[in-house]
Amino acid sequence: MSSDISDEIGSMGRRRFIQSMSALGISATTLNFLTQDALAEVSDNPKDMVPRLKALRHKNHDEVKKGAKPEREPVFYSIPRDQWVQTEAPYDAAKKLESQLPNDPQIQVMIRKSGPRKKSNSHIEVVHETVEMNGAEIKPESSLNSLKEQTPDTISGSVGKGKNLVEVSGIPVRVKESRATLDDRNEFEGEYHPTPAGCCITNPVPDPDDENVTVGCPAYNSGTSTGGWLTSGHQYAGETDVKTWQPVNKLTGTDVLGYNSVLHDPNEGDTGDFSFVATDGNFDRKYDIAASSNNTYEGWYLYGTLGMDKIKDLKEDGTPVYKQGIHTGRNQGEILSISSDDVYVVIDCDRYEGDSGGPYYWVDEYGESYMIGIHRGNSADSYSESKGTLLPWIEANTDIYV
């Protein structure tokens, strides 16, 4: 960091430092963890190179692999300010637009790539979504025509404050009608003890004809000091304390993974789609990704959760991420869109029934895996697009973390 800037920032107290960085427009999540020393490691001048939160990473990973409670630390990087402006301004515009539209969980404001290739600009997509599951439909309260009448063709977004304010105008807005099917039903269906991300679990609804869904990832509930696993929520049909198996063995009652406790089920009007299955002590968590054979693992150890900054930048760069499910297996695809409230993400990957609950994750250049989201279902009437609940949002709104 240049001497004048480093001296000025280094002499600031914590409160003034946060105010100064906030005026530049640095995200609140990043500011929760950023220190002067951490800033100095990634940026000579935050007005030119903007600090970003890459991930919350295990600092006791060897102990976590043996079953210990995860302890995490922030990891930062930086990007050029002009790139940062083009990434963040559409999110500001989307939040403004969301506040002007009906408050309806079936109307979602998404920031979507305008093309399939790298460095493509984003536009805002207002999704009028009807969700179908088990023959029932959940529809928006507002009609599609009414939504179109309330939605402008373009909108502006800004970043920074005061003399650091930068505005981007003319961001396109499009309204789209969508029907989404939640997956409720092959690979990774064998026995995995200890249990990693991306393998099968029994669909817990008490019906012997039900099939399987997918484990999202090992996780920890700090509110109850309990280890367990994340998966999707909708297959629990609004019920908690439901016995869950890995793999399927309902007749003998063995292979019990645990019982679901925290539940967000969109069919019950909840935001997000996930559930936490608390271990009953039979099987250990495995902070790894399931490979194709029984009790085999990829060695792509899960080190934590990606920050929203990094998820947004992966979307803008067109960097492929992974999705894993017991029906479609393991796929790679670009992040296509992110909702304005940071709840949902859509990726360019095939999906089918049984993939529900599976992990979206990214493997960095060191071979470390980081969670992005939990698979929910399809998006935009397409089996080639997958929609999931973002892990940073789950962690920000519950006591559960990876």
Side-chain angles (χ1 to χ4, degrees), residues 6-18:
S6 62
D7 289 345
E8 180 183 357
I9 292 178
S11 64
M12 293 179 181
R14 177 65 182 171
R15 184 174 181 178
R16 185 180 166 213
F17 172 70
I18 294 298

Side-chain angles (χ1 to χ4, degrees), residues 72-86:
R72 305 190 301 178
E73 60 186 357
V75 179
F76 298 98
Y77 66 107
S78 61
I79 63 174
R81 187 169 180 82
D82 59 347
Q83 178 184 337
W84 171 78
V85 169
Q86 291 302 315

Side-chain angles (χ1 to χ4, degrees), residues 145-254:
N145 287 337
S146 173
L147 183 62
K148 288 180 177 179
E149 291 174 357
Q150 299 176 68
T151 304
D153 294 330
T154 63
I155 194 170
S156 63
S158 61
V159 293
K161 300 175 184 177
K163 64 181 180 180
N164 298 303
L165 181 70
V166 179
E167 185 166 340
V168 177
S169 60
I171 299 170
V173 182
R174 303 170 189 172
V175 177
K176 183 169 186 175
E177 185 175 25
S178 174
R179 292 186 66 86
T181 303
L182 302 186
D183 298 339
D184 60 349
R185 293 239 156 231
N186 293 196
E187 300 185 50
F188 314 110
E189 288 191 329
E191 178 181 286
Y192 292 86
H193 301 157
T195 304
C199 66
C200 77
I201 55 174
T202 308
N203 189 323
V205 178
D207 181 341
D209 294 326
D210 281 334
E211 299 185 41
N212 303 340
V213 290
T214 308
V215 175
C217 63
Y220 188 83
N221 187 339
S222 62
T224 58
S225 300
T226 307
W229 297 264
L230 279 167
T231 185
S232 53
H234 62 260
Q235 75 268 16
Y236 285 94
E239 300 180 21
T240 56
D241 200 30
V242 176
K243 188 180 294 186
T244 305
W245 288 261
Q246 200 295 309
V248 182
N249 199 338
K250 294 184 179 181
L251 296 180
T252 66
T254 59

Side-chain angles (χ1 to χ4, degrees), residues 55 67 75 141 154 228 231 259 265 285 327 342 371:
V75 179
E141 294 182 2
T154 63
T231 185
Y259 299 79
D265 182 354
R285 292 165 290 153
H327 189 104
D342 294 342
M371 285 295 299

Side-chain angles (χ1 to χ4, degrees), residues 34 41 62 92 159 178 196 248 275 324 327 371:
L34 189 67
E41 291 179 3
D62 289 340
D92 175 71
V159 293
S178 174
V248 182
S275 188
Q324 187 156 321
H327 189 104
M371 285 295 299

Side-chain angles (χ1 to χ4, degrees), residues 29 72 390-401:
T29 302
R72 305 190 301 178
L390 284 159
L391 247 298
W393 184 86
I394 293 174
E395 293 186 350
N397 290 275
T398 70
D399 294 322
I400 300 164
Y401 65 95

